[in-house]
């Protein structure tokens, strides 16, 4: 590759990244291989010989729906044999695998595309050679009658994501000269593979070969194959994953005819060519490539198109059998509530229960795609340590779960259910197909729960542990000021004196006690009930239960930074800041003690926050 380096030059400030490296690579392919004038434009269909042999377009579609285009990527040409792959997928889905697979084999023939040879059962070798493709068109014609071609055109259009038309001149030209294909048709009728009128079947086949596409269309169609049948641009599920994976299978073994073995050995990307000059390459889970250049080699494959595929595969090491994966990279953090508890404050007795039973709540924060290997690795991490009562899987950073991953996950849940371990999910979108799958497959299992937020899931599991061990999670009882960590070390007289500076307030559930932005003019000591502290954006900072203070940051800040809302009926001692300052002046030693307690509480919060960060940063 000679033109891989960016041309030196000055760029506008925001223009520095205007060319992604892949587009630069495709441009380089276009420049380099455009200089190759080898090969011949197909002429056995007279109309095809009119093609401009210099046309050269490349397009690459990614599975997130981005389409790169270079050169003549919007020049229309006839799809020809590339249609065979899609019509086979269509037949599998509309007629059923059994009917299609019993009529047409899946063995490579090693023959050229137009070979007049059937297998030992007198069936076509595979659906990529003409005999197999004509047989597939025959099955569709048998099922759809005169609507057969329209059914095919509509299906090809869904793969391309736009309405495709047909080139009548190419159709007429092939129809007038297609005796070899007719011979194949009659042979198939003779062996009972075609039951319909051969002329009608050949008309469908010739028409499907004459559908007009561009390199861009082919790239999107290829990306749909690479994406288990979902068009990455329109997001439409065009065919089933079964039909797509079997289509890619025959493309792998036979897509390039008598060059198929060499192709998959050297390039390693399922592909299909057409005598119109198109090449489609579909790399599962990665990309779809479409190229157009009408000059063909002796196998009927586009000379420049083959070079683009070879260069792409070699330069980025994309051979589909040259892959590895690190199963361990899906576990972002793995801890118990000893390292990171919920944001709910707990009273000393409950804290002790949670400390004694911290192994009973295990949290695994997962990330990326949960594949077969990743979920297997996760399941082994569980077995390797003490069995918890609750295992929380946080899936908010999980982008996908593969079918094999879901299957292993569900099997793991069954295993856990047998040991009375409750599985709690957090961060999964309930509307997603992944959740639907998990829900469907876990029907009948009672050990599964789901919370939108990880913190809520941890808090719920903690509540269960406290409850099972005789603790109190409702916080209905009245607490004494002596319990307040902020007032630790104060004598009963000092506590009474402080209390005399404040007044008892009550709030009903849902009532706002403090609003972000207002002046911080008092501190609160929660005597009974529960409050939530939330940032204005809705993020929950803490849940505070009876026996703890809130609004205590007024001692350091002049403005409230969060909202505090009563969660249950609340009783609190409110001490106005001005009165507290007076108390502090008259009793400096007590005031200093309270400020030291505050410093200690803040230090504990800092330690908790650092522990959480370290958990996520750990390798
Ligand atoms: O059957 C034929 O002759 C053409 N309509 C299609 C052949 C084709 O594209 C072969 N592929 N390289």
């Amino acid at each position: 590759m000679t033109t891989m380096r960016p041309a030196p030059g000055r760029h506008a400030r925001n223009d520095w990244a205007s060319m992604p490296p892949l587009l630069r690579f495709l441009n380089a392919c276009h420049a380099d291989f455009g200089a190759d004038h080898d090969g011949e434009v197909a002429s056995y269909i007279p109309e095809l010989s009119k093609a401009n042999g210099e046309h050269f377009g490349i397009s690459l579609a990614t599975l997130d729906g981005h389409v790169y285009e270079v050169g003549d990527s919007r020049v229309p040409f006839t799809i020809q044999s590339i249609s065979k792959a899609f019509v086979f997928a269509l037949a599998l889905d509309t007629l059923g695998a059994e009917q299609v697979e019993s009529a047409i084999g899946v063995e490579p023939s090693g023959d050229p595309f137009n070979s007049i040879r059937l297998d030992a059962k007198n069936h076509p070798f595979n659906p990529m050679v003409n005999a197999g493709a004509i047989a597939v068109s025959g099955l569709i014609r048998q099922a759809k009658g005169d609507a057969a071609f329209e059914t095919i055109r509509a299906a090809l259009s869904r793969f391309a994501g736009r309405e495709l038309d047909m080139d009548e001149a190419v159709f007429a030209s092939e129809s007038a000269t297609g005796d070899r294909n007719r011979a194949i048709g009659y042979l198939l009728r003779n062996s009972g593979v075609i039951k319909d009128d051969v002329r009608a079947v050949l008309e469908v086949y010739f028409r499907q070969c004459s559908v007009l596409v561009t390199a861009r269309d082919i790239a999107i169609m290829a990306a749909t194959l690479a994406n288990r049948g979902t068009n990455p641009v329109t997001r439409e599920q065009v065919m089933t994953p079964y039909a797509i994976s079997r289509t890619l299978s025959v493309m792998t073994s036979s897509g390039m005819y008598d060059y198929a073995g060499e192709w998959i050995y050297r390039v390693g990307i399922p592909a299909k060519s057409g005598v119109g000059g198109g090449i489609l390459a579909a790399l599962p889970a990665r990309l779809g490539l479409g190229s157009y250049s009408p000059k063909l080699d002796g196998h009927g494959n586009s000379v420049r198109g083959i070079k683009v595929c070879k260069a792409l595969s070699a330069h980025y090491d994309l051979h589909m059998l040259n892959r590895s994966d690190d199963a361990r990279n899906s576990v972002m953090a793995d801890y118990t509530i000893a390292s990171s508890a919920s944001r709910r404050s707990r009273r000393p007795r409950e804290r002790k229960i949670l400390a004694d039973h911290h192994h009973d709540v295990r949290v695994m924060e997962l990330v990326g795609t949960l594949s077969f290997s990743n979920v297997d690795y996760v399941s082994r991490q569980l077995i390797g340590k003490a069995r918890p009562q609750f295992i929380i899987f946080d899936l908010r950073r999980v982008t996908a779960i593969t079918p094999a991953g879901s299957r292993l996950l569900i099997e793991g849940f069954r295993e856990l259910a047998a040991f009375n371990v409750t599985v709690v999910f957090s961060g999964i979108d309930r509307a997603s197909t992944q959740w639907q799958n998990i829900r469907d497959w876990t029907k009948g299992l009672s050990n599964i729960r789901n919370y939108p937020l990880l913190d809520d899931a941890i808090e719920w599991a903690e509540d269960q542990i406290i409850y099972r061990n005789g603790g109190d999670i409702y916080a209905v009882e009245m607490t004494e000021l002596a319990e307040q960590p902020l007032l630790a070390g104060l004598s009963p007289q000092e506590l009474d004196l402080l209390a005399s500076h404040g007044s008892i307030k009550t709030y009903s559930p849902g009532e706002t006690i403090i609003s972000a932005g207002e002046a911080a003019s008092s501190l609160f000591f929660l005597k009974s009930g529960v409050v939530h502290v939330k940032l204005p954006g809705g993020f929950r900072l803490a849940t505070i239960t009876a026996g703890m203070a809130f609004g205590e940051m007024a001692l350091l800040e002049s403005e409230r930074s969060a909202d505090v809302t009563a969660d249950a009926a609340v009783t609190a001692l409110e001490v106005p800041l001005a009165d507290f300052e007076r108390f502090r002046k008259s009793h400096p030693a007590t005031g200093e003690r309270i400020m030291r307690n505050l410093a200690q509480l803040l230090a504990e919060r800092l330690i908790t926050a650092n522990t959480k960060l370290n958990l996520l940063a750990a390798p």
Side-chain angles (χ1 to χ4, degrees), residues 149-210:
F149 172 65
E150 176 51 25
T151 307
I152 291 172
R153 191 202 60 79
L156 291 170
S157 300
R158 293 205 307 277
F159 274 102
R162 72 176 184 99
E163 285 305 313
L164 300 175
D165 294 324
M166 216 201 88
D167 187 324
E168 290 288 346
V170 171
F171 162 69
S173 180
E174 180 160 19
S175 199
T177 56
D179 284 344
R180 192 178 172 94
N181 282 329
R182 273 187 202 95
I184 293 174
Y186 283 107
L187 188 65
L188 290 169
R189 188 175 154 88
N190 182 59
S191 58
V193 175
I194 288 184
K195 298 189 170 60
D196 228 332
D197 171 35
V198 172
R199 279 171 312 172
V201 172
L202 264 295
E203 170 160 352
V204 173
Y205 173 71
F206 292 149
R207 282 191 185 277
Q208 81 183 47
C209 288
S210 304

Side-chain angles (χ1 to χ4, degrees), residues 107-119 125-126 128-131 180 253-260 299:
E107 292 302 331
S109 65
D111 285 342
F113 69 91
N114 55 4
S115 153
I116 307 187
R117 191 164 74 98
L118 301 180
D119 67 13
F125 278 90
N126 65 67
M128 300 293 108
V129 290
N130 285 13
R180 192 178 172 94
S253 52
S254 311
M256 302 300 269
Y257 311 113
D258 43 340
Y259 187 54
H299 301 283

Side-chain angles (χ1 to χ4, degrees), residues 315-471:
H315 186 73
Y316 294 111
D317 203 3
L318 291 179
H319 195 296
M320 68 174 178
L321 301 178
N322 189 16
R323 292 275 152 266
S324 77
D325 196 6
D326 187 348
R328 292 163 299 187
N329 58 16
S330 59
V331 179
M332 182 154 191
D334 179 3
Y335 52 89
T336 72
I337 48 169
S339 315
S340 184
S342 76
R343 295 199 178 89
R344 188 186 186 100
S345 71
R346 307 278 183 187
R347 292 165 64 195
R349 191 161 73 105
E350 282 70 36
R351 272 159 83 148
K352 168 115 176 50
I353 294 174
L354 291 177
D356 290 346
H357 294 86
H358 69 93
H359 284 304
D360 282 331
V361 183
R362 173 113 173 247
V363 182
M364 291 182 96
E365 296 189 31
L366 306 178
V367 62
T369 298
L370 297 187
S371 66
F372 175 82
S373 322
N374 299 129
V375 179
D376 168 60
Y377 176 78
V378 168
S379 70
R380 277 181 284 114
Q381 302 318 296
L382 284 179
I383 288 164
K385 289 190 189 157
R387 189 172 68 235
Q389 292 189 31
F390 297 90
I391 167 79
I392 299 171
F393 291 114
D394 183 55
L395 304 185
R396 89 192 106 134
R397 299 184 198 86
V398 167
T399 44
I401 308 178
T402 67
S406 318
R407 178 80 62 189
L408 273 179
L409 208 56
I410 307 309
E411 287 168 358
F413 296 163
R414 288 188 198 288
E415 195 76 22
L416 291 167
F419 288 96
N420 293 320
V421 178
T422 300
V423 175
V424 190
F425 284 114
S426 58
I428 188 161
D429 174 9
R430 281 172 203 243
S432 67
T433 41
Q434 285 152 7
W435 172 246
Q436 305 294 335
N437 281 346
I438 291 174
R439 217 190 40 190
D440 288 350
W441 291 358
T442 51
K443 267 200 188 109
L445 285 185
S446 55
N447 69 323
I448 313 277
R449 295 191 68 101
N450 177 5
Y451 282 90
L453 298 177
L454 172 60
D455 195 54
D456 291 338
I458 299 179
E459 180 178 325
W460 177 80
E462 287 173 349
D463 282 352
Q464 305 307 305
I465 297 293
I466 291 171
Y467 181 70
R468 288 179 191 184
N469 292 284

Side-chain angles (χ1 to χ4, degrees), residues 44-45 48 79-84 113-114 128 130 134 174 181 205-206 209-210 255 257 272-276 278 296 299-301:
Y44 77 99
I45 299 171
L48 286 186
I79 189 168
Q80 299 297 340
S81 281
I82 299 173
S83 65
K84 292 168 178 171
F113 69 91
N114 55 4
M128 300 293 108
N130 285 13
I134 292 167
E174 180 160 19
N181 282 329
Y205 173 71
F206 292 149
C209 288
S210 304
Y257 311 113
K272 187 75 207 76
S273 65
V275 290
L296 311 179
H299 301 283
N301 299 325

Side-chain angles (χ1 to χ4, degrees), residues 216-274:
R216 177 188 163 91
D217 293 328
I218 292 289
I220 296 170
M221 296 169 92
T224 306
L225 291 175
N227 197 30
R228 300 179 89 235
T230 298
N231 182 318
V233 177
T234 63
R235 305 304 312 166
E236 183 188 357
Q237 174 86 45
V238 177
M239 298 279 156
T240 64
Y242 180 90
I244 297 297
S245 58
R246 273 47 180 193
T247 299
L248 284 165
S249 307
V250 287
M251 284 168 61
T252 302
S253 52
S254 311
M256 302 300 269
Y257 311 113
D258 43 340
Y259 187 54
E262 184 86 12
W263 177 263
I264 214 65
Y265 184 83
R266 307 229 170 265
V267 180
I269 302 179
K272 187 75 207 76
S273 65

